[in-house]
Every structure is written in C-alpha cells, then in structure tokens.
Amino acid sequence: IIFKWNVCSDPQGDPVTYDLVVSGPEGHISQNLTSPLDSANFSYPGNYTWYVIARDNHGNFTQGPTWKFTIYG
C-alpha cells in the first residue's frame, strides 16, 4: 500500500519531517520521513487506520486526520 499526503510548511520556515502511523491487525510506523510518501506491506486482512504527524525541529507537531482502509483476505 502506498500512503501519500500533502506537504506541510512550518510558519517559521523550519524543516518539517513526518511520522506515519498505521494501526490494525498489523501495525506500521515510519518516523522522520522527509517526503510525504511511504509504503508498507500488510499480510493480514482487516480494518486499518492511518494518520500523519508533521514535526518541526523545535518539537512542535500537528497530527492530521485519521483515514480508514480495509484489506480483504
């Protein structure tokens, strides 16, 4: 599965990294991504949710909306 989201900008112009969090029968976390794109493979069918956290280098962060998807087996 390919996850893609919109680029974020920091109000002070600080660099932004992203954490992708996927929960469900199989979890997946990618941290410190520098582009708004990631992928993961899942083996188990079920309902999953995912969201992205955008972070700057001063510890400020914003969590995006939670999205849902289902893998059928």
Side-chain angles (χ1 to χ4, degrees), residues 50-65:
W50 69 282
Y51 60 88
V52 174
I53 301 171
R55 300 179 184 279
D56 71 9
N57 57 349
H58 296 287
N60 301 307
F61 66 92
T62 299
Q63 181 176 317

Side-chain angles (χ1 to χ4, degrees), residues 2-70:
I2 297 173
F3 299 93
K4 187 174 181 178
W5 54 93
N6 293 330
V7 172
C8 295
S9 62
D10 183 82
Q12 290 78 33
D14 296 325
V16 176
T17 59
Y18 306 98
D19 297 345
L20 169 66
V21 180
V22 181
S23 60
E26 289 179 271
H28 173 82
I29 298 176
S30 293
Q31 295 179 307
N32 299 315
L33 301 168
T34 57
S35 69
L37 181 69
D38 194 32
S39 64
N41 294 320
F42 299 98
S43 302
Y44 297 105
N47 297 315
Y48 291 80
T49 60
W50 69 282
Y51 60 88
V52 174
I53 301 171
R55 300 179 184 279
D56 71 9
N57 57 349
H58 296 287
N60 301 307
F61 66 92
T62 299
Q63 181 176 317
T66 299
W67 301 92
K68 298 177 182 182
F69 66 97
T70 300

